[in-house]
Amino acid sequence: MKTSLLTNELIVAGLQFQPTYKNGISNHLPMTLVALDQMGTNDECVLLFYHQYITQLENVARNEPFLKQANEIEQRIKNDGVETTLIAYMPRLIASFNAQAFQCMIRLSYAIKSQQQLEIAYALAYWDQSYQLITPLSLTEKYNAEQQLKQLAYAFSNSSFQANNISQRIFEVAQSPNYLKLAPVPVDITIEKVLQLVVEYYRKTNNSTLLHGITALHAFIELLQYFPDQQTALQWFWQSYTAAFATVGKNLQQPRDVLPTPPHLSWLETITRGALSKNDHTITLIYSCSELYKRYPLAELKYIANQCIANENL
């Protein structure tokens, strides 16, 4: 399903803004515009969201190195095509799914859906300039994915971090001996197992960092076709997730807030109500849950989406 003319125009207009603002917060504008579009939101609501969201953003004009690289990538896309360009970049970027707490990868997946070449170039430049290797990839048979997360939760149950930014906290985790011992990825990891655990831990905690596990996994699956070795790509993704997971180890031991009971809605009702939200995280989470459900019909995905509706009384 292609994005509308208005959405495409707003994405192009949004290229005047930095990929981040306020010392590292990710600009979610293009992703949310695409999500709203795909959720069937009317033009008036899309326009309203755009004009409200851009008030906090910062102009990109002075970021000459970023603009230079984005323009070079756009020219490469024009010469070689989107697919060829993506296949050329992925072998390097695969080791940094965690860049900007997964936001670079997420932006790229939405950019491809929009089919806007300069937006794709912006997303690739954003990811490339935010590249951050956690640790070299290694595999293990000592534990499975579920056991790994339980051990990480215990290892980081009393940890605190100096950084306020999620991306910086992930990098702090990566330097920890406790993480390095548990960084190796289980050899039998599968997308189905990753989805199960990512969804399970977000539902248990309602944690904002773990929310990005769901939206990031959705983005990863959308990008999977551009990786020559999809199992290796999944292993790198899981390693990035476990580092992010470790940053909330302390919170996993605390009782979660009591949330309102989610309604029992059809996906159409959920998406229609979700599109009324003014919260970019709510919009993209509901959209990701609905898209993931099409491939992997887990009841928990619908529960999480409907919980968003209850939380905001939409």
Side-chain angles (χ1 to χ4, degrees):
M1 181 175 168
K2 293 183 178 180
T3 47
S4 71
L5 178 61
L6 173 64
T7 298
N8 291 339
E9 289 176 348
L10 294 177
I11 289 171
V12 172
L15 295 174
Q16 67 186 290
F17 302 110
Q18 292 268 25
T20 61
Y21 62 99
K22 292 182 181 177
N23 297 318
I25 299 175
S26 290
N27 172 2
H28 295 162
L29 178 63
M31 297 89 99
T32 313
L33 289 173
V34 172
L36 286 171
D37 180 284
Q38 299 296 289
M39 292 163 77
T41 311
N42 62 48
D43 287 356
E44 183 180 355
C45 290
V46 173
L47 268 171
L48 180 62
F49 179 87
Y50 175 86
H51 287 295
Q52 289 178 337
Y53 194 88
I54 63 174
T55 58
Q56 63 198 327
L57 302 180
E58 300 168 6
N59 198 285
V60 74
R62 294 184 180 178
N63 193 344
E64 293 182 7
F66 173 78
L67 290 173
K68 182 175 183 291
Q69 184 174 10
N71 289 331
E72 289 173 353
I73 296 173
E74 183 193 23
Q75 189 59 51
R76 183 168 182 173
I77 289 172
K78 288 179 178 178
N79 294 337
D80 301 338
V82 171
E83 185 172 352
T84 299
T85 303
L86 289 169
I87 290 172
Y89 268 85
M90 287 309 180
R92 167 175 162 77
L93 299 179
I94 192 174
S96 187
F97 285 125
N98 57 290
Q100 291 294 325
F102 300 102
Q103 292 303 322
C104 300
M105 174 179 64
I106 294 171
R107 181 162 182 172
L108 178 60
S109 73
Y110 278 89
I112 294 168
K113 192 173 288 289
S114 77
Q115 299 181 16
Q116 296 299 304
Q117 291 187 353
L118 186 53
E119 170 59 18
I120 294 171
Y122 263 53
L124 281 170
Y126 178 34
W127 194 349
D128 192 61
Q129 294 195 3
S130 303
Y131 184 93
Q132 187 180 52
L133 175 67
I134 297 179
T135 186
L137 183 67
S138 60
L139 305 178
T140 185
E141 296 181 346
K142 292 181 179 179
Y143 46 70
N144 60 33
E146 193 165 10
Q147 292 167 338
Q148 183 183 19
L149 293 187
K150 288 180 179 178
Q151 291 180 51
L152 282 166
Y154 178 78
F156 286 88
S157 59
N158 294 312
S159 298
S160 57
F161 302 95
Q162 295 181 352
N164 294 321
N165 182 287
I166 297 175
S167 183
Q168 293 171 350
R169 288 200 296 270
I170 291 173
F171 190 68
E172 278 190 56
V173 162
Q175 313 307 307
S176 167
N178 284 340
Y179 177 73
L180 294 174
K181 292 176 185 175
L182 293 166
V185 175
V187 293
D188 59 350
I189 195 77
T190 64
I191 286 182
E192 290 78 7
K193 175 53 70 173
V194 170
L195 177 62
Q196 176 201 330
L197 292 172
V198 165
V199 167
E200 176 186 330
Y201 272 97
Y202 176 68
R203 180 175 172 177
K204 282 180 181 178
T205 62
N206 200 44
N207 180 273
S208 59
T209 297
L210 300 186
L211 178 155
H212 290 96
I214 296 177
T215 53
L217 181 58
H218 172 215
F220 171 75
I221 291 171
E222 293 290 324
L223 294 172
L224 198 53
Q225 61 184 302
Y226 303 108
F227 295 103
D229 185 336
Q230 296 187 358
Q231 184 61 19
T232 299
L234 178 63
Q235 291 161 355
W236 277 110
F237 176 84
W238 182 247
Q239 180 177 266
S240 289
Y241 178 80
T242 59
F245 179 89
T247 68
V248 301
K250 190 172 185 178
N251 297 333
L252 294 173
Q253 311 303 318
Q254 300 171 355
R256 61 172 290 178
D257 296 334
V258 177
L259 301 175
T261 303
H264 296 286
L265 303 173
S266 69
W267 273 116
L268 179 59
E269 292 171 312
T270 301
I271 290 169
T272 301
R273 291 197 198 182
L276 299 174
S277 176
K278 302 297 186 293
N279 186 313
D280 49 304
H281 285 101
T282 296
I283 293 166
T284 53
L285 177 59
I286 290 175
Y287 177 64
S288 287
C289 285
S290 67
E291 289 296 295
L292 286 167
Y293 189 87
K294 292 175 182 178
R295 302 189 191 198
Y296 308 98
L298 292 179
E300 290 83 357
L301 288 165
K302 181 177 279 191
Y303 180 94
I304 287 170
N306 286 336
Q307 186 71 68
C308 292
I309 303 298
N311 293 352
E312 295 190 25
N313 196 26
L314 295 170

